[in-house]
Amino acid sequence: MEKSRILVVGGTGYLGRRIVRASLDDGHPTHVLYRREIGVDIDKIQILMSFKKQGAHLVEGSFSDHRSLVDAVKQVDAVICAISGVHIRSHQILLQLKLVDAIKEARNIKRFLPSEFGMDPARMGHAIAPGRVTFDDKMVVRKAIEDAAIPFTYVSASCFAGYFVGGLCQPGNIVPSRDSVCLLGDGNVKAIFVDEDDIAMYTIKTIDDPRMLNKTLYIRPPENILSQREVVEAWEELIGKKLSKSSISVDDFLTNLKGQDYASQVGLGHYYHVLYEGCLTNFEIGDEGEEASQLYPEVTYTRVKDYLKQYV
Ligand code: NDP
């Protein structure tokens, strides 16, 4: 079977660049949106040029130019959007409504994957403010997709390892300490951690998979379903040393959250749901979804203990 042609939007991003690489590695004709607005951002230009060298087609376009988006979309079979959605970096989730309009007009797209890649927003209706904005905006985009009857796959990628494993699940930390760690509550709530390259690989596998049409892919690699304590223990084993441990109660965590700037409050709200509430592991996947490691057992995913080795 011929592989679908894929357009990646947000291809220079933290996740987007991995999706471009995974698409090329898997042999998909890969197009990457080159936004005029990036101007003289030399790092982005170099990333785009490296994609070109690897065989990607750069397609010029802009979110402020509807026609350019329609033209870009018309050249491919599937669109993956990895536009920014983390407030400490940038949050542009609703811009995707313009992409949805373009896909609606072009009418040739067999699969659209919007920028999700986190907790399942459909299960976060109860989320605390202001962090709930991430889920609310992602649900606005879902509604537009479904109203336009655009074939979709949603990817619920759980926790990016770079943020959560790197920082031993402590907000504001992305490199593991060799001395101490603060546990969120008792540190025993189970979360799920996924290497970002694995997220990209699983994402690409859904594109030509009819089992994932109009469904949610939940990425839950079984050996990476761990509590914060278990992540810390894996690190302690690697460095051959026990860390000194303190803990922050849920009440203190939520009180502390209120005094922070807006972007930090959003992020802390997400940590609350993942590590106190257990929102990634407190439900069974229903008919609306499939689990990635079961669907694609041929993928060897990165175990948390191996991910941590880079920091030793
Ligand atoms: P980035 O912050 O790296 O941004 C991705 C890309 O978005 C940029 O490279 C740029 O692409 C595009 N972009 C940024 N600003 C604009 C703008 N004003 N107009 C148009 N395009 C813009 O994104 P991430 O990789 O951090 O996030 C991607 C997704 O992953 C989001 O949905 C986010 O919520 C989710 N996520 C999940 C996490 C988890 O732990 N589960 C953690 C982090 C993110 P270009 O210039 O190439 O067009």
Side-chain angles (χ1 to χ4, degrees):
M1 193 180 82
E2 222 165 87
K3 302 241 179 194
S4 288
R5 295 165 299 170
I6 298 175
L7 170 69
V8 182
V9 177
T12 66
Y14 179 67
L15 182 64
R17 73 187 74 154
R18 292 171 165 82
I19 291 175
V20 173
R21 279 192 229 118
S23 175
L24 288 166
D25 287 349
D26 203 37
H28 288 272
T30 305
H31 298 224
V32 183
L33 187 73
Y34 160 30
R35 286 186 308 118
R36 293 168 201 139
E37 288 81 3
I38 69 175
V40 294
D41 186 332
I42 190 73
D43 290 323
K44 284 197 178 193
I45 296 293
Q46 298 235 307
I47 292 172
L48 290 169
M49 290 309 139
S50 76
F51 293 155
K52 191 161 166 254
K53 260 192 217 152
Q54 292 165 66
H57 308 276
L58 304 185
V59 187
E60 238 186 289
S62 166
F63 277 86
S64 329
D65 177 354
H66 173 70
R67 188 54 34 210
S68 73
L69 290 182
V70 175
D71 289 345
V73 161
K74 276 196 171 154
Q75 298 176 39
V76 296
D77 310 297
V79 178
I80 304 175
C81 185
I83 204 167
S84 54
V86 175
H87 283 75
I88 49 164
R89 287 162 66 78
S90 157
H91 176 83
Q92 303 292 341
I93 293 299
L94 289 180
L95 258 190
Q96 292 180 100
L97 295 176
K98 292 178 187 259
L99 189 56
V100 172
D101 281 344
I103 294 172
K104 202 160 121 185
E105 184 176 325
R107 296 218 313 248
N108 60 312
I109 290 304
K110 298 193 192 78
R111 201 72 71 83
F112 175 45
L113 278 64
S115 189
E116 292 226 347
F117 308 109
M119 295 165 241
D120 180 357
R123 294 179 184 276
M124 297 307 296
H126 64 290
I128 58 172
R132 60 172 301 124
V133 64
T134 309
F135 315 118
D136 291 344
D137 285 0
K138 288 180 177 177
M139 287 307 286
V140 169
V141 175
R142 279 193 183 192
K143 183 168 185 318
I145 293 168
E146 291 171 31
D147 285 352
I150 295 168
F152 64 83
T153 299
Y154 302 138
V155 178
S156 175
S158 306
C159 295
F160 282 15
Y163 288 101
F164 287 84
V165 175
L168 302 177
C169 308
Q170 303 165 102
N173 292 267
I174 53 170
V175 179
S177 160
R178 290 168 183 271
D179 301 311
S180 60
V181 63
C182 178
L183 298 173
L184 306 199
D186 60 13
N188 288 326
V189 172
K190 294 276 188 185
I192 307 170
F193 308 95
V194 193
D195 181 317
E196 293 83 345
D197 288 321
D198 295 340
I199 295 172
M201 202 174 354
Y202 284 125
T203 297
I204 292 299
K205 284 194 167 283
T206 67
I207 292 291
D208 287 323
D209 185 346
R211 296 171 298 179
M212 285 315 303
L213 177 63
N214 296 339
K215 287 216 173 187
T216 299
L217 183 78
Y218 294 91
I219 309 183
R220 290 178 160 187
E223 288 187 42
N224 287 355
I225 303 177
L226 301 170
S227 66
Q228 183 186 12
R229 267 186 199 276
E230 289 169 324
V231 174
V232 172
E233 279 163 18
W235 175 238
E236 289 175 332
E237 205 166 294
L238 278 173
I239 60 169
K241 182 186 170 196
K242 291 281 177 205
L243 305 190
S244 80
K245 298 182 185 69
S246 57
S247 129
I248 178 162
S249 71
V250 66
D251 290 344
D252 287 349
F253 186 90
L254 291 174
T255 305
N256 174 50
L257 177 152
K258 291 196 183 98
Q260 307 287 325
D261 61 70
Y262 181 80
S264 303
Q265 286 194 39
V266 170
L268 288 169
H270 297 176
Y271 274 79
Y272 160 74
H273 287 293
V274 172
L275 290 152
Y276 286 101
E277 184 187 75
C279 71
L280 292 174
T281 51
N282 65 6
F283 66 92
E284 299 290 327
I285 298 170
D287 291 343
E288 81 294 353
E290 299 288 348
E291 197 283 312
S293 64
Q294 284 180 20
L295 214 52
Y296 309 115
E298 69 278 15
V299 171
T300 308
Y301 63 85
T302 303
R303 271 61 176 172
V304 163
K305 61 178 183 350
D306 293 322
Y307 189 88
L308 278 166
K309 283 181 184 159
Q310 66 186 300
Y311 304 104
V312 173

PDB file of all heavy atoms in Angstrom, residues 4-5 77-78 108-112 151-152 213:
ATOM      1  N   SER A   4       0.480   7.357   2.867  1.00  0.00           N
ATOM      2  CA  SER A   4      -0.158   8.673   2.737  1.00  0.00           C
ATOM      3  C   SER A   4       0.878   9.781   2.760  1.00  0.00           C
ATOM      4  O   SER A   4       1.884   9.699   3.465  1.00  0.00           O
ATOM      5  CB  SER A   4      -1.120   8.898   3.902  1.00  0.00           C
ATOM      6  OG  SER A   4      -2.240   8.099   3.750  1.00  0.00           O
ATOM      7  N   ARG A   5       0.571  10.824   2.005  1.00  0.00           N
ATOM      8  CA  ARG A   5       1.395  12.042   2.072  1.00  0.00           C
ATOM      9  C   ARG A   5       0.931  12.840   3.291  1.00  0.00           C
ATOM     10  O   ARG A   5      -0.279  13.040   3.473  1.00  0.00           O
ATOM     11  CB  ARG A   5       1.192  12.876   0.807  1.00  0.00           C
ATOM     12  CG  ARG A   5       1.680  12.189  -0.472  1.00  0.00           C
ATOM     13  CD  ARG A   5       1.139  12.872  -1.704  1.00  0.00           C
ATOM     14  NE  ARG A   5      -0.326  12.817  -1.729  1.00  0.00           N
ATOM     15  CZ  ARG A   5      -1.098  13.495  -2.574  1.00  0.00           C
ATOM     16  NH1 ARG A   5      -0.565  14.289  -3.474  1.00  0.00           N
ATOM     17  NH2 ARG A   5      -2.413  13.385  -2.528  1.00  0.00           N
ATOM     18  N   ASP A  77      -2.489  13.920   1.871  1.00  0.00           N
ATOM     19  CA  ASP A  77      -3.650  13.097   2.245  1.00  0.00           C
ATOM     20  C   ASP A  77      -4.008  13.250   3.714  1.00  0.00           C
ATOM     21  O   ASP A  77      -5.143  13.009   4.121  1.00  0.00           O
ATOM     22  CB  ASP A  77      -3.323  11.615   1.999  1.00  0.00           C
ATOM     23  CG  ASP A  77      -2.758  11.382   0.608  1.00  0.00           C
ATOM     24  OD1 ASP A  77      -3.497  11.645  -0.363  1.00  0.00           O
ATOM     25  OD2 ASP A  77      -1.588  10.979   0.500  1.00  0.00           O
ATOM     26  N   ALA A  78      -3.002  13.599   4.518  1.00  0.00           N
ATOM     27  CA  ALA A  78      -3.223  13.675   5.976  1.00  0.00           C
ATOM     28  C   ALA A  78      -2.493  14.885   6.540  1.00  0.00           C
ATOM     29  O   ALA A  78      -1.459  15.296   6.002  1.00  0.00           O
ATOM     30  CB  ALA A  78      -2.689  12.403   6.646  1.00  0.00           C
ATOM     31  N   ASN A 108     -10.040  17.069   0.720  1.00  0.00           N
ATOM     32  CA  ASN A 108      -9.307  15.876   0.270  1.00  0.00           C
ATOM     33  C   ASN A 108      -8.639  15.130   1.417  1.00  0.00           C
ATOM     34  O   ASN A 108      -8.005  14.103   1.192  1.00  0.00           O
ATOM     35  CB  ASN A 108      -8.211  16.291  -0.729  1.00  0.00           C
ATOM     36  CG  ASN A 108      -7.230  17.258  -0.096  1.00  0.00           C
ATOM     37  OD1 ASN A 108      -7.643  18.230   0.542  1.00  0.00           O
ATOM     38  ND2 ASN A 108      -5.950  17.014  -0.240  1.00  0.00           N
ATOM     39  N   ILE A 109      -8.772  15.639   2.631  1.00  0.00           N
ATOM     40  CA  ILE A 109      -7.971  15.089   3.729  1.00  0.00           C
ATOM     41  C   ILE A 109      -8.643  13.846   4.313  1.00  0.00           C
ATOM     42  O   ILE A 109      -9.801  13.880   4.730  1.00  0.00           O
ATOM     43  CB  ILE A 109      -7.731  16.185   4.803  1.00  0.00           C
ATOM     44  CG1 ILE A 109      -6.772  17.233   4.236  1.00  0.00           C
ATOM     45  CG2 ILE A 109      -7.164  15.602   6.101  1.00  0.00           C
ATOM     46  CD1 ILE A 109      -5.435  16.684   3.741  1.00  0.00           C
ATOM     47  N   LYS A 110      -7.857  12.763   4.364  1.00  0.00           N
ATOM     48  CA  LYS A 110      -8.394  11.490   4.854  1.00  0.00           C
ATOM     49  C   LYS A 110      -8.189  11.339   6.352  1.00  0.00           C
ATOM     50  O   LYS A 110      -8.803  10.490   6.995  1.00  0.00           O
ATOM     51  CB  LYS A 110      -7.712  10.332   4.133  1.00  0.00           C
ATOM     52  CG  LYS A 110      -7.969  10.352   2.629  1.00  0.00           C
ATOM     53  CD  LYS A 110      -7.554   9.011   2.004  1.00  0.00           C
ATOM     54  CE  LYS A 110      -7.511   9.086   0.499  1.00  0.00           C
ATOM     55  NZ  LYS A 110      -6.297   9.745  -0.014  1.00  0.00           N
ATOM     56  N   ARG A 111      -7.267  12.115   6.912  1.00  0.00           N
ATOM     57  CA  ARG A 111      -7.053  12.049   8.363  1.00  0.00           C
ATOM     58  C   ARG A 111      -6.440  13.353   8.864  1.00  0.00           C
ATOM     59  O   ARG A 111      -5.500  13.865   8.258  1.00  0.00           O
ATOM     60  CB  ARG A 111      -6.104  10.887   8.703  1.00  0.00           C
ATOM     61  CG  ARG A 111      -6.195  10.392  10.136  1.00  0.00           C
ATOM     62  CD  ARG A 111      -7.471   9.623  10.407  1.00  0.00           C
ATOM     63  NE  ARG A 111      -7.495   8.313   9.770  1.00  0.00           N
ATOM     64  CZ  ARG A 111      -6.929   7.215  10.278  1.00  0.00           C
ATOM     65  NH1 ARG A 111      -6.324   7.261  11.445  1.00  0.00           N
ATOM     66  NH2 ARG A 111      -6.995   6.066   9.637  1.00  0.00           N
ATOM     67  N   PHE A 112      -7.006  13.880   9.950  1.00  0.00           N
ATOM     68  CA  PHE A 112      -6.432  15.068  10.586  1.00  0.00           C
ATOM     69  C   PHE A 112      -6.157  14.753  12.051  1.00  0.00           C
ATOM     70  O   PHE A 112      -7.032  14.249  12.761  1.00  0.00           O
ATOM     71  CB  PHE A 112      -7.397  16.258  10.481  1.00  0.00           C
ATOM     72  CG  PHE A 112      -6.932  17.495  11.206  1.00  0.00           C
ATOM     73  CD1 PHE A 112      -5.618  17.941  11.106  1.00  0.00           C
ATOM     74  CD2 PHE A 112      -7.810  18.233  11.986  1.00  0.00           C
ATOM     75  CE1 PHE A 112      -5.181  19.079  11.776  1.00  0.00           C
ATOM     76  CE2 PHE A 112      -7.389  19.370  12.661  1.00  0.00           C
ATOM     77  CZ  PHE A 112      -6.067  19.793  12.557  1.00  0.00           C
ATOM     78  N   PRO A 151     -12.344  13.448   8.936  1.00  0.00           N
ATOM     79  CA  PRO A 151     -11.860  12.216   9.585  1.00  0.00           C
ATOM     80  C   PRO A 151     -10.667  12.542  10.496  1.00  0.00           C
ATOM     81  O   PRO A 151      -9.769  13.267  10.085  1.00  0.00           O
ATOM     82  CB  PRO A 151     -11.406  11.328   8.414  1.00  0.00           C
ATOM     83  CG  PRO A 151     -11.911  11.994   7.172  1.00  0.00           C
ATOM     84  CD  PRO A 151     -12.140  13.424   7.473  1.00  0.00           C
ATOM     85  N   PHE A 152     -10.678  12.004  11.705  1.00  0.00           N
ATOM     86  CA  PHE A 152      -9.655  12.430  12.673  1.00  0.00           C
ATOM     87  C   PHE A 152      -9.060  11.242  13.417  1.00  0.00           C
ATOM     88  O   PHE A 152      -9.619  10.142  13.439  1.00  0.00           O
ATOM     89  CB  PHE A 152     -10.260  13.401  13.698  1.00  0.00           C
ATOM     90  CG  PHE A 152     -11.340  12.772  14.554  1.00  0.00           C
ATOM     91  CD1 PHE A 152     -11.024  12.015  15.682  1.00  0.00           C
ATOM     92  CD2 PHE A 152     -12.689  12.909  14.224  1.00  0.00           C
ATOM     93  CE1 PHE A 152     -12.019  11.420  16.466  1.00  0.00           C
ATOM     94  CE2 PHE A 152     -13.687  12.316  14.992  1.00  0.00           C
ATOM     95  CZ  PHE A 152     -13.354  11.573  16.118  1.00  0.00           C
ATOM     96  N   LEU A 213      -9.379   5.294  12.715  1.00  0.00           N
ATOM     97  CA  LEU A 213     -10.231   6.324  12.103  1.00  0.00           C
ATOM     98  C   LEU A 213     -11.283   6.796  13.113  1.00  0.00           C
ATOM     99  O   LEU A 213     -12.045   5.982  13.650  1.00  0.00           O
ATOM    100  CB  LEU A 213     -10.905   5.748  10.851  1.00  0.00           C
ATOM    101  CG  LEU A 213     -11.878   6.689  10.136  1.00  0.00           C
ATOM    102  CD1 LEU A 213     -11.171   7.927   9.609  1.00  0.00           C
ATOM    103  CD2 LEU A 213     -12.586   5.953   9.005  1.00  0.00           C
TER     104      LEU A 213
END
